[in-house]
Amino acid sequence: MNAPSTPHRTSFHTAHLQRRIGLFAMGGILATGLLTGLATALPLYLDARKQIETSVGYNIRSQAEAAGQLMARFRAVALQVTSRTQLREALERYNRWELSLPELERFTTPRLRDALAHSPSIAGMVRLDAAGEAVVHLGHTVPPEHWPDPADGSGEALLRGPVEIDGEPTLVVGAPILAADGKRVGSDIIAFQLVELGRLLAEAQEYGGETRYYLANLDDGRLLHFAGATRTLQTAAGDDPLHTLLSKRPPSPGHALPLHGAPNQVAFIMPLPQAPEWALAMTTGRAQLYSPALDELIVPVSTIVLLVLVGAALTSRAIRPLSERIVRQSEQLALAASVFEGGQEGILIMDEAHRIVEVNRAGLQLTGTDAGRLAGLKLCEALCSPESADFCEHIWQSAEKQGRWQGEARFRHQRNGYFPVWLSLAAVRDTGGTVQRYIAMFTDISERKHAEERIRQLAHYDGLTGLPNRALLQDRLVHALERARRRHERVAVLFIDLDRFKNVNDSLGHAVGDELLRAVAGRFNAVLREQDTVARLGGDEFLIILEDPDGPAAAEHVARKVLEVLEAPFRLGHHEIFIGASIGICLYPDDGQEASTLVQNADTAMYRAKDSGRNAFRFYTAELAQASRERFDLEAGLRRAIERNELHLHYQPQVDCASGRIVGVEALLRWLHPQLGLVPPDKFVPLAEEAGLIVPIGRWVLLTACRQAMRWRAAGHPLQVAVNLSGQQITHDDIVTVVRDALAVSGLPPAQLELEITEGQVLHGVEETTRALEDLRALGVTLAVDDFGTGYSSLSYLKRLPLNRLKIDRSFVSGIPDDRDDVSIVATILAMARNLGLEVIAEGVETTAQFDYLRAQGCNAYQGWLFARAMDAEALQALLETHAEHG
């Protein structure tokens, strides 16, 4: 038999059992508590990390979109510069050897400076010709190794960099210059400083002192970083860990990536939407980035540990399942509440009927309200605008069918009106698939929208005046014409060019000119209706669109208001500036159906207003179009006149007053057009000067006249030949070299060549003209002032210039000897010439009385119909032989 248990032994066994039960209970409670804490804390930590990465991703995406818009604007600015018609045509003429390099530089440089002055980010540029040779340099030098080749870009601007130019990180844009037929005639290489990008990144959010932002070229791995005490953009070092990351794996937008060689750091990489070959990257310390997630776990983890210890101590005496379940439920509720209340995004919990049940603290702050006002209301009636019913129906249908919806929405702030949000809506279902709750998370994206608006402003509005630019003007004009077609209305287009604006820039500087343009834009806005558009085309050109005007009278009324508002002086600093405008007007549909046609016709009418005296307006007419086409055709024909041998020289004899001998001839240019016949010089010579053709024509005239004079000399008639020089030949051509070459090629002695200039040419550039004439005089040629007396007739320049002869204009000769004024003027000129030691020749002598008076007064020579009209070389040869036989 077994011995009976004693009370001591039973007590020991019970105590041992109780201890074992207590130990097992405590171990179970501790194990359960630890597993529960781990199972709860780990998802919370991972979710918090995911939220942090999502928030960082949103921030990087916003910065990348802004940087991408900046890249797009660099390309747009480059393409705007290449699209300038006058500059492109000058480059085409240079490519065809019709312009010399100095001529191209003098023509192109000021216009490029004017075009680039509106883009302060530009550090420098190079213009290349069709052969890829640099012809124009502006600003900082861009080394050839940094030139992108736009030939591979199919007409698009190419972006290269970042590269260092003069120690500064720079992006280089290569833009092709395309002719009207699409053929590339050259390229513009423009370097853009990254000041705006630096400002953009300076405002970016930081995640601790180790945060760095990078601009990465994904094609060649070049990096710029924004960090350090200088807070400026710098070229990243070659051993930067981000180089290795970019070379080994493609970008993963919105996700944290580990850095090789820097285990304590992570990186975020976001390609630029408008330039996918570029990316914005950020690196930061891993611990600093995820420290908020750890901080959020301190309270729940501490609570879990404390409750586990208390529960274990209590359960060591007695197992209390109900208490354990309550503790576990309280832990879960506390943890959920901390996540719900501690989130940076607004969170709404709604029931199956879309009624708001709970709102977290961030949601209340973003909407500016309290939970009591939102509880029980449907999401759309509580926060959305009344007119967004269709939008609300769409998002709920998507959430019910697909279980989620996300996108942009507009929520109402209790005091500040509506603001844009990024909304994510998800359905929570039970095990049977029935919707129990809806959870909405939203973030205020006002700053991102403001950044997008700033970029849109830069792309569509003139940076100087704030008016719509050429791109936005084109869009508005096209839409205005579409509305007018549907409604059978009119549209008026007013092309405005400021008068004398160049004088302001030349005399007071471009800063005052820019301030004047801003003031002019303000006055234009003040006199126009809200529905009308005024835009700046560039330079001092503006364009106004009037929608649905009451016929031409309304357009005329606006034109008069514009002229009147410009009459008052502009007071800018210490300057009082008076300025006017020339305005061309055309109407849709009378004067054109398309936007480009209307703008062109208004431009044509503006030039007619400018020709009629400026500070006026003119309507477009068919006659203007015809005159413009005739002028265009005439210019086109003149460009081919030399190669088609349509230009000819006639020669008018110059006769010695005393002996009656022919002592010289004046070479006069004639154009025999195949359809128009003989074109008067006063019609095509000004056109040649305006079109820049007078320089090659002048060279042809000079060489042809010298060769003909040499033929007469060889035939025994040594005559001096007089050739007129244009002001452009003196200022835009190496006239000394041209004359020297003509004399060398023809063999004509310099003494038998006379070069004639007008008074106006002298006074437009006295110093430059004086130097050129002195160099010509040193060659041994004769110099004469043509049409003397019709200009300023300044004695100061007569004394300074190395002249040999004066030519009295025919307007004074025609009145002698009967007109007292003409007699006095001619007598004065003759007396002044004798005192200065100058010879005098009179033009336009047609009567014997005129000749007798001139000979009596001591005039040296004359030319005119009294002796002979201008004739070709063969006729003059015959005249010389006849004159020699009777001489």
Side-chain angles (χ1 to χ4, degrees), residues 145-168:
E145 61 268 22
H146 299 326
W147 294 354
D149 184 11
D152 298 332
S154 300
E156 296 293 332
L158 298 183
L159 194 63
R160 183 172 182 179
V163 299
E164 285 198 9
I165 297 179
D166 293 338
E168 293 290 335

Side-chain angles (χ1 to χ4, degrees), residues 651-653 655 662 845 862-871 876 879:
Y651 302 90
Q652 185 169 45
V655 184
I662 300 176
V845 178
Y862 75 96
Q863 64 185 74
W865 290 3
L866 176 63
F867 185 83
R869 296 177 179 241
M871 60 193 75
L876 186 59
L879 178 63

Side-chain angles (χ1 to χ4, degrees), residues 18 31 55 104 107 173 337 343 358 395 424-425 485 494 502 509 519 529 567 570 601 607 622 700 713 721 829 837 882:
Q18 288 177 347
S55 175
L104 179 65
F107 179 84
V173 178
E358 291 289 342
I395 65 173
S424 297
L425 186 65
R485 290 189 186 100
L494 283 70
K502 184 176 183 300
R529 302 174 301 176
E567 289 180 355
F570 292 85
N601 291 344
Y607 275 107
W700 178 86
R713 176 183 177 84
V721 60
I829 293 174
T882 302

